[in-house]
Every structure is written in structure tokens, then in C-alpha cells.
């Protein structure tokens, strides 16, 4: 089954062609990050307009790359939630029109389910059940993936997402948007151990996380240093910050796996590209005898292939949408059923 998949929930316009949920025939992506970097973060209105400009051309590019024509497409998939509403609407409207024009089913895909499914592309042997650590710019979730379309959230952030925290910390350190990758590179230049940053604990909900206190601590450190005319050791701060984020994520992922009896963890989302978090996950999983799947860096960030991968399993589960499908800014991944 050949699925043409669309992703436009934030600042990447992506169109992919995926066969049977596992084989990527084309994955065309246009990132707007440089444009938003001028403003230090994503400007929703600009994101929507850029998606409109890019999506048709990327579709032609993806079909050409896959070596197929429109009539070879068996179904159309789209990331319909969660995300910046104007941005998501562009992908949903375009996908609906393509599905209508081609007379093929329309498959709605929850964006985070897509991130998790990136692992199906990278690891042909991976099958549910497993535990997913989904860490991106807008979401931070520990998910029990019981089956391809049956998922339960075991833990989540109570406030900011891990990626947002990286981006804000990067901004106060004067790094370009998005801050995650530059923070990663900076952190690799130091052993840290210089800044004492907070680790949050959500009383009574051991698997929930919080990043807003950590974000505020870094912002305050930077502002205090600025006011006193002192210079921060940016590399040490990046390292200590990343260690604090990792301390929030990794032990909870392990605890969740133990609680739910899962012996496999799959990481997902842009923050799963972080070299320190990857190393910490590897070490913890080795120690606990848990099998770890870490997707290659290019499948961690937003892409269309992951939407096409999840769409295949949504389709097999009977999850197709009528042509009045709407876009949603927020939606729990366990709610994403039709
Ligand atoms: O999954 P993603 O591309 O988009 C969303 O669905 O949100 O994640 C983007 C986030 C950004 O916050 C970005 O700074 C972060 O992933 N990120 C990283 C790294 N690469 C990207 N965070 C930490 N370390 C990285 N190497």
C-alpha cells in the first residue's frame, strides 16, 4: 500500500511517500527554521504562509523522487493534531483536496504517534508492545505503546516540553533558534559540574515531569550574570542544563518500563537527537537489561515519512476520516481515534 503523507504542524513542510508503513520511497522536507530564527522562535502566521507556498511543490518533488505518479497513490495521510493551528490547517486542507481529487482514503495521524512510528522505518524488527519516550519541541511524553494504535500515556510534562526548554535556554545563551542542536554542540565542549540546576519532582505522580523551573533557573542565571557584568561559562551551563533534562527523562523512562513490564524502549522526537540524552539512555538501558531503539537523527525531527508509517497502521485499524476532517491545536495521543 502506497501512502502519500503530509506534515505541517510546526515549521517543517514535509511530504513523503511510504510503502506498507516501513519503506520510505521519498521524504521531501523544507524547513523554515532560518526564517523563524530572525525572531528567536516560530512565528505562527509566517509558518502557515510558508507551508502554503511550499506544499504543492514538495508534493511534486516527493512523487518524482518515489518514481510514481498520482494514480499509484493508494491513500493520503496527514498530521492533523497537535500543532500550530494555522500550520496544521494547511496540511489538512491540502491533504483533503488531494484525497478527494484522487478518490482515495484520507488517514488522520496524530503527530506524536507519527514521531513514535519513525522507529518502524528505522527498525524493521520493532513491533509493539514497547515503551516510547516521545520528546519534542511541543510534547514530552512517556507512552505505553500496547499496539500500533492502542497507546496509553504513563507520564507527561506538567508544563513546558523538553524541546521548548532547550530552545529557551539556547536563546538566553545567545544561540540561534532552534536551540537544541547548538546547545548539544556546546555541551560537548565541557564536563560541566559548575551550575547547580533544579530537578523537579511531581509529588504523587512519579512519572510526570516539569521543565519550567529549570528553564527559569537558566534564564535567571543569565540575567543575573548580565546585570553584574559577569561572564557565564556557557559550555558548562549547557552541559549542566542537559544533564538536568536527562535526569528528568531517563530515570522516568526506565521506571515506566519496569512498572508496565516492557523490556523495550524506543525514543522519538527532536530532543531524542541529543547526544547526552542518547548516551544516558543507552547506559541506563544496558544496566537494566532493556532493549533500546534510538532512531537516526534525521528521523528524530519532524518529517513526513513518520506520518506515512503510522498512517499504514491507522488504516489497518480502520482509522480513516471523512472529508470534513478538522485540524486540532491540542489532542491527547490516546484520543486520536476515528
Ligand atoms: O520533533 P521536533 O522536530 O518538532 C516537534 O514536533 O516539536 O522537535 C523540535 C525540538 C526543538 O525544540 C529542538 O531544539 C529540539 O527538538 N532538538 C534538540 C536537538 N535537536 C533538535 N534538542 C536537544 N538536542 C538536540 N540535538
Amino acid at each position: 500500500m502506497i501512502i502519500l503523507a503530509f506534515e505541517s504542524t510546526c515549521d517543517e513542510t514535509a511530504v513523503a511517500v511510504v510503502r506498507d508503513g516501513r519503506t520510505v520511497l521519498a521524504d521531501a522536507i523544507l524547513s523554515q527554521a532560518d526564517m523563524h530564527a530572525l525572531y528567536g522562535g516560530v512565528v505562527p502566521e509566517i509558518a502557515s504562509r510558508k507551508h502554503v507556498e511550499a506544499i504543492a511543490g514538495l508534493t511534486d518533488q516527493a512523487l518524482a523522487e518515489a518514481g510514481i505518479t498520482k494514480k499509484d497513490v493508494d491513500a493520503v495521510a496527514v498530521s492533523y493534531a497537535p500543532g500550530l493551528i494555522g500550520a496544521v490547517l494547511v496540511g489538512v486542507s491540502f491533504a483533503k483536496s488531494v484525497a478527494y481529487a484522487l478518490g482515495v482514503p484520507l488517514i488522520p495521524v496524530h503527530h506524536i504517534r507519527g514521531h513514535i512510528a519513525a522507529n518502524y522505518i528505522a527498525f524493521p524488527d520493532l513491533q509493539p508492545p514497547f515503551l516510547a519516550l516521545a520528546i519534542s519541541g511541543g510534547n514530552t511524553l512517556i507512552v505505553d505503546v500496547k499496539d500500533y494504535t492502542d497507546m496509553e500515556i504513563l507520564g507527561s510534562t506538567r508544563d513546558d516540553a523538553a524541546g521548548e526548554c532547550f530552545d529557551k535556554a539556547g536563546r538566553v545563551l545567545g544561540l540561534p533558534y532552534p536551540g537544541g542542536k547548538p546547545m548539544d554542540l556546546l555541551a560537548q565542549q565541557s564536563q560541566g559540574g559548575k551550575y547547580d540546576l533544579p530537578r523537579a519532582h511531581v509529588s504523587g505522580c512519579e512519572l510526570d515531569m516539569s521543565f519550567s523551573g529549570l528553564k527559569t533557573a537558566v534564564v535567571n542565571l543569565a540575567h543575573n550574570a548580565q546585570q553584574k557584568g559577569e561572564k557565564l561559562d556557557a559550555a558548562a551551563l549547557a552541559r549542566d542544563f542537559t544533564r538536568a533534562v536527562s535526569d528528568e527523562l531517563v530515570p522516568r523512562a526506565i521506571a515506566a518500563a519496569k512498572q508496565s513490564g516492557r523490556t523495550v524502549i524506543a525514543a522519538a522526537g527532536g530532543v531524542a537527537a541529543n547526544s547526552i540524552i542518547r548516551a544516558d539512555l543507552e547506559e541506563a538501558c544496558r544496566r537494566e537489561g532493556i532493549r533500546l531503539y534510538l532512531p537516526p537523527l534525521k528521523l528524530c525531527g519532524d518529517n513526513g515519512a513518520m506520518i506515512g508509517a503510522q498512517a499504514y497502521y491507522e488504516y489497518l485499524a480502520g482509522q480513516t476520516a471523512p472529508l470534513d476532517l478538522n485540524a486540532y491545536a491540542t489532542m491527547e495521543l490516546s484520543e486520536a481515534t476515528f
Side-chain angles (χ1 to χ4, degrees):
M1 179 181 200
I2 290 188
I3 295 179
L4 179 65
F6 296 96
E7 159 61 43
S8 70
T9 56
C10 191
D11 59 349
E12 260 99 25
T13 323
V15 184
V17 179
V18 181
R19 191 198 292 128
D20 297 339
R22 298 271 177 169
T23 308
V24 180
L25 303 181
D27 193 8
I29 302 183
L30 191 71
S31 174
Q32 311 167 357
D34 289 352
M35 178 83 48
H36 299 292
L38 296 171
Y39 306 94
V42 178
V43 182
E45 180 61 23
I46 294 177
S48 311
R49 286 169 189 272
K50 290 288 152 196
H51 287 311
V52 171
E53 285 171 20
I55 200 161
L58 282 172
T59 305
D60 290 340
Q61 188 185 323
L63 291 170
E65 245 174 68
I68 63 165
T69 65
K70 290 176 192 129
K71 68 176 179 359
D72 299 316
V73 172
D74 297 309
V76 167
V78 63
S79 185
Y80 76 122
L84 301 171
I85 191 63
V88 189
L89 261 172
V90 176
V92 168
S93 307
F94 195 83
K96 287 200 290 193
S97 61
V98 175
Y100 178 65
L102 300 182
V104 297
L106 176 67
I107 310 169
V109 176
H110 188 282
H111 179 72
I112 301 300
R113 288 187 179 209
H115 270 303
I116 294 170
N119 283 282
Y120 303 141
I121 298 167
F123 308 109
D125 62 321
L126 177 64
Q127 289 178 359
F130 59 87
L131 193 100
L133 176 63
I135 39 180
S136 68
N139 297 269
T140 304
L141 299 168
I142 297 172
V143 183
D144 185 12
V145 183
K146 298 172 185 177
D147 205 342
Y148 289 102
T149 58
D150 180 10
M151 302 176 202
E152 184 186 348
I153 296 172
L154 302 181
S156 63
T157 178
R158 290 295 185 100
D159 38 56
D160 298 327
E164 199 214 318
C165 201
F166 266 104
D167 293 341
K168 291 284 152 52
R171 188 152 85 180
V172 295
L173 288 179
L175 301 173
Y177 169 85
K181 192 173 173 194
M183 284 284 281
D184 195 353
L185 296 173
L186 192 59
Q188 287 168 31
Q189 294 167 26
S190 169
Q191 283 312 305
K194 206 162 173 177
Y195 299 98
D196 188 17
L197 296 171
R199 270 75 168 157
H201 172 81
V202 182
S203 186
C205 300
E206 302 306 317
L207 298 180
D208 280 351
M209 296 153 278
S210 164
F211 295 95
S212 63
L214 175 61
K215 182 176 85 178
T216 307
V218 175
V219 171
N220 287 346
L221 264 173
H223 288 169
N224 284 340
Q226 202 180 21
Q227 280 161 3
K228 291 180 190 156
E230 290 169 4
K231 205 167 155 24
L232 284 172
D233 182 342
L237 183 51
R239 183 86 188 197
D240 290 335
F241 166 84
T242 309
R243 170 85 30 241
V245 175
S246 186
D247 283 351
E248 197 75 6
L249 297 170
V250 177
R252 285 178 177 77
I254 300 290
K258 283 185 176 167
Q259 262 180 42
S260 54
R262 301 293 178 224
T263 54
V264 172
I265 293 180
V271 181
N274 186 271
S275 59
I276 293 167
I277 296 170
R278 288 170 87 91
D280 288 353
L281 274 171
E282 271 169 351
E283 202 210 307
C285 286
R286 197 177 312 117
R287 201 176 50 234
E288 301 292 341
I290 292 171
R291 180 145 191 213
L292 176 67
Y293 290 88
L294 287 172
L297 301 196
K298 88 180 210 344
L299 283 172
C300 289
D302 287 350
N303 63 84
M306 67 186 199
I307 302 303
Q310 180 61 22
Y312 177 68
Y313 296 102
E314 299 286 346
Y315 180 81
L316 293 183
Q319 305 289 343
T320 57
L323 288 174
D324 63 356
L325 174 72
N326 207 348
Y328 299 89
T330 56
M331 182 183 286
E332 290 262 322
L333 96 167
S334 44
E335 271 177 46
T337 49
F338 256 79

